[in-house]
Amino acid sequence: MRPATLDDFLGQEHILGEGKPLREAILKGEVTSMVFWGPPGSGKTTLARIVAHYTDRHFEAFSAVTEGIPRVREIIKEAKQRLEYEGRGTILFCDEIHRFNKAQQDAFLPWVEQGIVTLIGATTENPSFELNAALLSRLQVFVLEPLAEGQIRQIVQRALSETRNVKSEMTEVQLGDEALALLVRWADGDARRALNALEAIISHVCSDISHFTFPISHDVVESVLAKRLPVYDKSGESHYNIISALHKAVRGSDVEGALYWLARMISAGEDPLFIARRVVRMASEDIGLADPRALSIALAAKDAFHFLGSPEGELAIAEAVIYLATAPKSNRVYEAWSKAMSAAEAHPNEPVPLHIRNAPTGLMKELGYGKGYRYDHAEDSGLAAGQEYLPDALRDAKWYEPTEFGFERDIAKRMEWWEELKQRAGEKGGQEGR
């Protein structure tokens, strides 16, 4: 079923459509070393073989899962001889190239650099994380996408047609519309998954063809298909992409989006406490003082999961996610803290003003520690107006500016009230001084 030409290859129009650079390079036979990054069943291996077909180079397939560097050296030796005696280049296709550690990846560098082989790597993992910088700089990266449902449908129909041509007992075997739609959805953009499932369906039907009516029904296909397992790697990119999606959905006040991404992680076996920690971060980073209860609810959800465990405790996390998604949003605490940290880095050694230093000893009092400090509760207004609490270099700094959302509106009013009180107390002190 593997297509051998670009015209038969389905999907990836964004890199293989008419006039696209990769398509033109393949048709001209002028490809350079590259890596295909995409999900399983998106056509990485097939595309590598098509490249070799159009360039008339020897194709050497190699898997980083089952073979190691000694086999790479053998391939390189054969490629050098082929180039020297036949004048023919070699495409070294390394499937699952991310399985090599970064030191092992260095083994490819001199041969790619010298043009002994054209390296085509395939990976399901982000090359930015999994390939070392030296090798990555010598490769073009092409991102492959999951196949669309219409493309999976074409692949299945093409496979059924080809199978009927070689197996006489298959002349009657067809999939009903609902059965085909189920198989296409189940494949989830993965051509290999679709073909393996189709093979299992055909095998099941042909085991006793007299018991089945045609076209094959939805129920028959459903009985053959195994439950789909989510594509999720708790230490890989999907782990970070999905937690990022949850965080951004909460920030964007999208309850359904937040619940979906939460459910995706839970159903894939993610540690709920990892999620709970991120939910606590959302409460302080994206809600802040617009709703001070958000942090309490996030922490309560974490404690509830500790207390109840799974699956009951997951409901508490879902409750917190809904609360945070619907809460008023403010990142002003986050911004104020960032500004304060930047000020601390820019002014790491500013002395504490003498009047607000502690003076537990006589010597320290003699040196002026605490001199002039005014105890706010002893002031008539309850505020020591004009007393400074920042070093001179940071005088009049303003870092926290509340929004008009949620409880921050009240905080803004409180800050305005304190500022007015300071001004009134300062004016009264000035009049008494005169």
Side-chain angles (χ1 to χ4, degrees):
M1 297 298 104
R2 194 186 296 279
T5 68
L6 282 174
D7 290 336
D8 290 335
F9 188 86
L10 294 173
Q12 317 311 330
E13 288 86 356
H14 63 291
I15 57 174
L16 293 173
E18 291 295 335
K20 297 293 183 180
L22 179 58
R23 182 185 184 90
E24 295 301 312
I26 293 172
L27 292 175
K28 293 176 182 176
E30 298 174 351
V31 295
T32 57
S33 293
M34 64 187 78
V35 61
F36 297 140
W37 169 31
S42 56
K44 300 183 291 296
T45 301
T46 296
L47 186 53
R49 290 182 177 275
I50 288 174
V51 169
H53 170 74
Y54 279 90
T55 58
D56 194 32
R57 301 181 200 181
H58 176 76
F59 183 82
E60 192 70 49
F62 169 89
S63 173
V65 175
T66 57
E67 301 177 274
I69 295 302
R71 176 58 184 147
V72 173
R73 294 195 180 101
E74 291 177 9
I75 294 171
I76 296 299
K77 182 179 178 181
E78 294 166 1
K80 290 174 72 175
Q81 293 174 345
R82 189 176 299 111
L83 189 62
E84 183 177 352
Y85 297 113
E86 301 176 25
R88 190 182 184 201
T90 298
I91 288 179
L92 171 54
F93 173 65
C94 183
D95 197 15
E96 306 285 347
I97 193 171
H98 62 274
R99 299 285 186 173
F100 280 136
N101 64 43
K102 295 190 178 182
Q104 290 173 317
Q105 291 170 22
D106 286 336
F108 294 110
L109 292 177
W111 316 120
V112 171
E113 195 72 50
Q114 295 172 32
I116 303 299
V117 294
T118 299
L119 175 64
I120 300 181
T123 178
T124 56
E125 303 296 329
N126 190 328
S128 300
F129 302 143
E130 303 299 333
L131 300 187
N132 70 36
L135 181 60
L136 191 57
S137 69
R138 291 163 172 80
L139 303 175
Q140 283 186 283
V141 178
F142 294 100
V143 181
L144 276 66
E145 299 172 348
L147 299 183
E149 288 192 357
Q151 293 158 349
I152 294 291
R153 184 182 297 270
Q154 281 184 264
I155 289 170
V156 171
Q157 290 172 330
R158 182 188 294 172
L160 277 171
S161 175
E162 291 292 329
T163 306
R164 280 195 290 270
N165 289 338
V166 297
K167 288 188 176 183
S168 58
E169 70 269 22
M170 287 296 300
T171 54
E172 294 183 280
V173 175
Q174 304 173 38
L175 292 179
D177 291 341
E178 290 185 1
L180 179 57
L182 173 62
L183 175 56
V184 168
R185 287 195 308 273
W186 184 88
D188 202 20
D190 183 335
R192 184 186 297 110
R193 185 200 290 257
L195 291 173
N196 285 342
L198 180 63
E199 185 174 13
I201 292 165
I202 291 173
S203 177
H204 175 61
V205 171
C206 288
S207 64
D208 191 353
I209 203 165
S210 62
H211 279 71
F212 296 95
T213 57
F214 301 100
I216 298 171
S217 71
H218 175 282
D219 292 343
V220 171
V221 170
E222 187 175 43
S223 71
V224 174
L225 297 180
K227 180 182 177 182
R228 285 191 306 174
L229 296 176
V231 179
Y232 189 84
D233 181 354
K234 287 193 280 186
S235 62
E237 188 188 5
S238 60
H239 165 82
Y240 297 104
N241 283 345
I242 295 181
I243 193 66
S244 174
L246 169 61
H247 194 148
K248 289 179 173 65
V250 168
R251 181 183 293 153
S253 303
D254 187 323
V255 174
E256 283 70 30
L259 284 174
Y260 172 73
W261 295 117
L262 173 64
R264 276 281 299 273
M265 284 186 289
I266 293 294
S267 64
E270 181 58 80
D271 179 5
L273 286 177
F274 164 76
I275 303 170
R277 285 192 291 272
R278 186 63 170 251
V279 170
V280 171
R281 172 184 160 188
M282 295 173 202
S284 57
E285 180 178 329
D286 293 291
I287 288 99
L289 289 171
D291 186 347
R293 291 190 62 205
L295 184 56
S296 299
I297 288 173
L299 288 169
K302 181 264 297 181
D303 292 340
F305 182 83
H306 262 303
F307 184 65
L308 293 173
S310 183
E312 291 83 358
E314 293 155 7
L315 185 60
I317 298 175
E319 180 180 335
V321 163
I322 292 172
Y323 187 91
L324 267 58
T326 56
K329 307 297 189 295
S330 171
N331 71 338
R332 295 299 174 84
V333 171
Y334 178 81
E335 289 184 349
W337 179 241
S338 297
K339 291 173 183 176
M341 287 296 293
S342 296
E345 291 174 6
H347 303 275
N349 298 307
E350 291 298 319
V352 176
L354 282 172
H355 64 282
I356 57 172
R357 294 188 190 184
N358 190 31
T361 69
L363 174 60
M364 296 168 83
K365 289 179 181 178
E366 290 176 11
L367 293 173
Y369 283 38
K371 184 178 180 179
Y373 173 68
R374 294 156 57 202
Y375 186 56
D376 294 84
H377 299 293
E379 300 285 327
D380 292 340
S381 62
L383 179 71
Q387 184 161 259
E388 291 292 340
Y389 299 95
L390 281 171
D392 289 343
L394 295 171
R395 187 72 57 86
D396 299 324
K398 299 290 183 185
W399 296 320
Y400 176 61
E401 298 178 3
T403 67
E404 296 180 356
F405 300 112
F407 186 69
E408 281 198 323
R409 286 178 297 185
D410 296 314
I411 293 176
K413 291 176 182 177
R414 291 181 181 185
M415 292 175 70
E416 290 172 7
W417 183 80
W418 282 111
E419 193 60 38
E420 290 173 3
L421 189 62
K422 289 177 185 178
Q423 290 178 2
R424 287 200 304 268
E427 290 170 0
K428 181 178 178 182
Q431 290 171 357
E432 290 175 354
R434 287 197 296 274

